[in-house]
Amino acid sequence: SSLMALICGNNKNLNSIPDSIGNLTLLEKLSFNKCNLIQIPESIGNMSSLTQLTCYDNKLKSLPYCITSLTSLTELSIAKNQIVKLPDPIEEFSSLKILNCHSNQINLIPDNISNIKTLNKLNC
């Protein structure tokens, strides 16, 4: 598929993303804001072209481990969820410019976040 952006928002009936989302390897922008998502599938790690992932105002408690393999990601917005911990190793986000993770249950920002040299906006 040549789809470059998928934006699904304001849908409280949406609580999961199908595993097949990982097949959209050319997708650059993925947005699931103001839904009722409880998890992001591991297959998101296959989306090597993804530059922007926004999943704010959901019910996410964690992010899949494979999310750090998204080395093209420049913006990650996961605010207003129930996330307890940021992905590790967070420095794998080598292109990340914006990390928006406020209004979660995160009580520790990893020290190695300073290794993301491209990061210029951190809102936790």
Side-chain angles (χ1 to χ4, degrees):
S1 171
S2 60
L3 187 66
M4 299 193 59
L6 177 59
I7 301 167
C8 301
N10 293 311
N11 187 346
K12 295 297 181 185
N13 294 322
L14 186 62
N15 60 16
S16 66
I17 303 171
D19 285 334
S20 58
I21 193 98
N23 296 334
L24 300 174
T25 55
L26 298 178
L27 200 71
E28 293 179 1
K29 295 182 181 183
L30 181 60
S31 178
F32 285 95
N33 298 327
K34 298 183 179 180
C35 297
N36 270 329
L37 292 183
I38 55 173
Q39 69 179 15
I40 296 173
E42 290 284 337
S43 64
I44 198 168
N46 299 332
M47 302 175 77
S48 57
S49 300
L50 202 62
T51 60
Q52 183 181 42
L53 175 61
T54 60
C55 291
Y56 68 79
D57 203 0
N58 281 285
K59 295 183 177 178
L60 299 172
K61 293 184 188 221
S62 64
L63 297 172
Y65 176 76
C66 67
I67 201 165
T68 58
S69 67
L70 299 176
T71 55
S72 297
L73 203 63
T74 60
E75 180 180 348
L76 178 60
S77 182
I78 51 171
K80 294 186 176 182
N81 280 286
Q82 300 165 11
I83 296 171
V84 176
K85 182 181 173 199
L86 289 173
D88 190 36
I90 199 160
E91 69 268 19
E92 296 292 318
F93 288 126
S94 55
S95 302
L96 197 65
K97 294 179 181 177
I98 300 168
L99 176 56
N100 196 1
C101 56
H102 69 85
S103 303
N104 275 291
Q105 297 174 11
I106 299 168
N107 58 15
L108 179 65
I109 304 297
D111 289 338
N112 54 358
I113 201 165
S114 62
N115 294 336
I116 306 173
K117 302 302 180 197
T118 55
L119 191 64
N120 57 34
K121 182 177 180 185
L122 175 62
N123 187 1
C124 286

